[in-house]
Amino acid sequence: AEAEAEAEAEAAPIALGEAPEQPEPIEDTLTWEEVSGNVTIKYPQDGDEVFGSAVAVQVGLTTNCVNVTRFEQKFNHSDICISLDDAPFSCWPIFKISKFPLFTSVAPGEHKLVAKLVDPLDFETLLENGAGLSTFTVTPRNDTADTTDEEAEEDEERKSEEDEDEDE
């Protein structure tokens, strides 16, 4: 049973943008210092090809805690930050995001995306595994028109539906 709990703890997802559900109290054997997690870029993933000039970013976060409430307590005042092509990071509070960033007018070609969890006071990276990284390619939809805002929203909705399907 302990091995099963450890396996579940390794992949315990946290939904960004909302406080984690309050589960039944589970005893966690990790010390406060051992509570950690991992930031990943769910979309666009490394090697993806994105069609159009709008990129709807999705970030994932997992924790090593059996009881995700401990992770929330430790990192509640932290920020998720994203940078596209080494631009300055854009940041927001980890549990207060309602929509992920949408980069528009992204030029065709290869791009690099970095996501990390930081302390908002000193911008220090908080997780041992550092940052989520993704290199992806943007391809225009056609030669005469780029993605419209409506198409970008449709793409973002489609990605959200895919995530919901994965969670079920």
Side-chain angles (χ1 to χ4, degrees), residues 95-136:
F95 295 113
K96 296 189 177 25
I97 185 171
S98 60
K99 276 193 161 185
F100 286 110
L102 174 67
F103 290 96
T104 59
S105 302
V106 179
E110 189 172 277
H111 296 277
K112 180 178 84 171
L113 192 62
V114 178
K116 61 185 181 176
L117 184 67
V118 302
D119 182 320
L121 299 178
D122 61 14
F123 204 65
E124 289 294 315
T125 301
L126 296 174
L127 299 176
E128 212 175 282
N129 293 332
L133 303 171
S134 174
T135 302
F136 62 96

Side-chain angles (χ1 to χ4, degrees), residues 3-147:
E4 287 177 23
E6 287 178 18
E8 286 180 28
E10 289 179 19
I14 296 176
L16 299 179
E18 56 189 62
E21 293 178 17
Q22 298 301 319
E24 300 262 337
I26 300 172
E27 186 167 333
D28 211 319
T29 59
L30 297 174
T31 66
W32 187 251
E33 292 76 27
E34 292 174 325
V35 172
S36 188
N38 195 19
V39 177
T40 58
I41 297 172
K42 295 172 71 174
Y43 184 82
Q45 293 182 346
D46 204 37
D48 277 356
E49 183 174 15
V50 177
F51 294 94
S53 64
V55 180
V57 175
Q58 293 184 7
V59 177
L61 187 61
T62 55
T63 179
N64 63 343
C65 298
V66 173
N67 184 346
V68 294
T69 303
R70 290 192 70 212
F71 182 90
E72 179 189 349
Q73 291 168 342
K74 183 171 181 177
F75 295 105
N76 191 37
H77 299 289
S78 304
D79 287 352
I80 289 284
C81 297
I82 292 180
S83 170
L84 178 64
D85 296 331
D86 298 318
F89 280 87
S90 297
C91 303
W92 63 91
I94 184 174
F95 295 113
K96 296 189 177 25
I97 185 171
S98 60
K99 276 193 161 185
F100 286 110
L102 174 67
F103 290 96
T104 59
S105 302
V106 179
E110 189 172 277
H111 296 277
K112 180 178 84 171
L113 192 62
V114 178
K116 61 185 181 176
L117 184 67
V118 302
D119 182 320
L121 299 178
D122 61 14
F123 204 65
E124 289 294 315
T125 301
L126 296 174
L127 299 176
E128 212 175 282
N129 293 332
L133 303 171
S134 174
T135 302
F136 62 96
T137 303
V138 170
T139 302
R141 286 192 190 267
N142 60 45
D143 292 339
T144 59
D146 281 337
T147 305

